[in-house]
Amino acid sequence: MTDADTTTTGADWGAWQKSWDRQQEWYMPDREERFRIMLDMVEALVGRAPRVLDLACGTGSITARLLARFPGATSTGVDLDPALLAIAEGTFGGDDRVTLVTADLKDPGWTAGLPYDSYDAVLTATALHWLHAEPLAALYGQIAELVRDGGVFLNADHMIDDTTPRINAAERAQRHARMEEARREGALDWAEWWRLAAADPVLAEPTARRFALYGEHAEGDTPPVAWHARVLREKGFGEVRPVWCSPSDTLLLALK
């Protein structure tokens, strides 16, 4: 099912998935809403049994919601993180609708490991801000080649408008105040979640490999929506626009 080199026994993968979801929701309380709109747009444009590429899939959050809503869908999950792929492998092991591929999206040849040459939909969330603008633009070109005519690319991520600094500062202050309140009530942040993973007998080794690859946290660029839309059109998409946004994030849809 997968070429991810992971151990898939001896851990409660459902519990790790829930723990990851709670940690991510600490940063994005509206996370499920963006997933719902993403899948609404998939259904509207490519139907209820799509072939999907879950890009920078992590633990498979998008794939899990995709298959729960569309049992006839198939998903290829691509990521480089050994620990998150271990959780994905443990979760989807034995499900022939799911293929997991270990690949570095900054490697120009990463698409060689995919099981298909084209996809109805390429989906990603809160992941591509790890890339700087130049490699992200190159990746958008590769995504355009993978999406079939009439297919879609959906990216939910931080897309910051630097022309509104006072609005940005006020939104950030309010969001962080709410996050601190949730932390006092027991929410795990990114660092604490990874400390737990490092202490787990099954996840300790892939977590160590993960930090050897990435360090504590990689920081890329967060260009505004207009930049993403322009580059996606330049790379071959015919229509591009936001279909959902929060004060800090945008779900951008590109139609081939």
Side-chain angles (χ1 to χ4, degrees):
M1 175 191 133
T2 175
D3 64 2
D5 180 19
T6 59
T7 302
T8 59
T9 58
D12 184 341
W13 300 116
W16 278 110
Q17 287 283 4
K18 291 177 182 177
S19 176
W20 177 259
D21 284 342
R22 299 295 86 77
Q23 179 257 126
Q24 289 287 286
E25 287 165 2
W26 182 66
Y27 296 94
M28 298 167 288
D30 48 23
R31 184 168 178 257
E32 291 300 326
E33 178 70 4
R34 71 188 70 192
F35 287 147
R36 182 183 69 80
I37 298 298
M38 178 181 283
L39 295 181
D40 281 351
M41 294 297 97
V42 169
E43 181 177 4
L45 289 160
V46 298
R48 297 180 57 84
R51 177 189 292 170
V52 169
L53 177 59
D54 184 351
L55 199 66
C57 65
T59 67
S61 297
I62 290 174
T63 292
R65 287 153 181 81
L66 172 79
L67 298 179
R69 179 161 167 175
F70 307 129
T74 58
S75 180
T76 302
V78 177
D79 209 300
L80 187 62
D81 189 312
L84 299 186
L85 281 172
I87 297 172
E89 170 69 15
T91 300
F92 300 108
D95 191 333
D96 60 9
R97 297 171 298 175
V98 180
T99 302
L100 297 174
V101 176
T102 301
D104 184 349
L105 297 181
K106 296 190 294 296
D107 178 352
W110 71 269
T111 60
L114 299 179
Y116 304 107
D117 294 330
S118 68
Y119 289 86
D120 301 310
V122 177
L123 310 178
T124 189
T126 327
L128 300 189
H129 65 274
W130 285 50
L131 298 176
H132 291 289
E134 186 174 344
L136 179 56
L139 178 64
Y140 278 172
Q142 292 177 301
I143 292 169
E145 293 177 0
L146 288 169
V147 174
R148 67 163 173 84
D149 288 346
V152 297
F153 170 56
L154 284 141
N155 179 16
D157 211 344
H158 314 312
M159 300 183 189
I160 307 302
D161 187 344
D162 290 333
T163 68
T164 59
R166 290 183 296 162
I167 295 172
N168 297 351
E171 183 279 326
R172 178 181 173 83
Q174 182 185 60
R175 176 161 42 91
H176 280 255
R178 289 174 174 171
M179 289 166 66
E180 286 306 312
E181 181 178 352
R183 193 207 300 269
R184 289 193 293 271
E185 295 173 357
L188 294 180
D189 65 8
W190 173 268
E192 181 59 27
W193 191 91
W194 281 109
R195 280 193 288 272
L196 292 176
D200 182 83
V202 175
L203 288 178
E205 190 274 334
T207 296
R209 286 193 283 125
R210 183 249 179 233
F211 279 95
L213 281 170
Y214 293 113
E216 287 299 317
H217 198 286
E219 292 295 343
D221 296 327
T222 54
V225 170
W227 181 93
H228 292 270
R230 174 181 59 79
V231 172
L232 287 165
R233 288 191 180 97
E234 289 173 353
K235 298 299 182 180
F237 286 94
E239 299 179 18
V240 186
R241 75 167 178 87
V243 291
W244 175 91
C245 69
S246 73
S248 60
D249 288 14
T250 296
L251 173 58
L252 196 66
L253 186 155
L255 177 66
K256 185 78 174 286

